[in-house]
Amino acid sequence: MRTGGQMGLTRGAQTMPAPRKYPLGLRERAVRMYRTAEPRPVIRRMAEELGVHHEALRNWIRQAEADAGERGDILTTAEREELAALRKENAQLKRANEVLRTASAFFAAQLDPTRPR
């Protein structure tokens, strides 16, 4: 199962999620620490203390804020998952339409009475 923000690695016909650099537990703990701290810590300093890249921590915090309904400028995790599923379904439907179009042209050519045999 993939979560929002994970890129996929293609292996033949199947897609595998990219390996995570940081464990999910660390991510959740870091976001919780940031959100409960008063006053808010400097992200760069907090990231150094946790041993993570500051942009990774900043992105985790932004995503948590979006999921909590505090931000409207980025998609929530649920919206990202839905968008990925819809894109996958759309690609499958396009492939199915192409197969049907090809089959239709083939059978139409077979039924054409003016076509020499």
Side-chain angles (χ1 to χ4, degrees), residues 35-69:
R35 291 175 61 87
T36 59
E38 281 298 326
R40 297 273 193 224
V42 176
I43 291 176
R44 188 176 291 266
R45 191 169 302 128
M46 184 178 171
E48 287 173 5
E49 292 171 2
L50 293 171
V52 300
H53 193 272
H54 64 276
E55 284 302 319
L57 179 58
R58 187 180 322 277
N59 287 333
W60 297 343
I61 293 167
R62 289 180 70 218
Q63 189 62 54
E65 290 171 348
D67 290 344

Side-chain angles (χ1 to χ4, degrees), residues 102-117:
T102 303
S104 175
F106 173 78
F107 288 119
Q110 294 294 314
L111 296 175
D112 187 4
T114 62
R115 182 174 173 257
R117 305 235 178 229

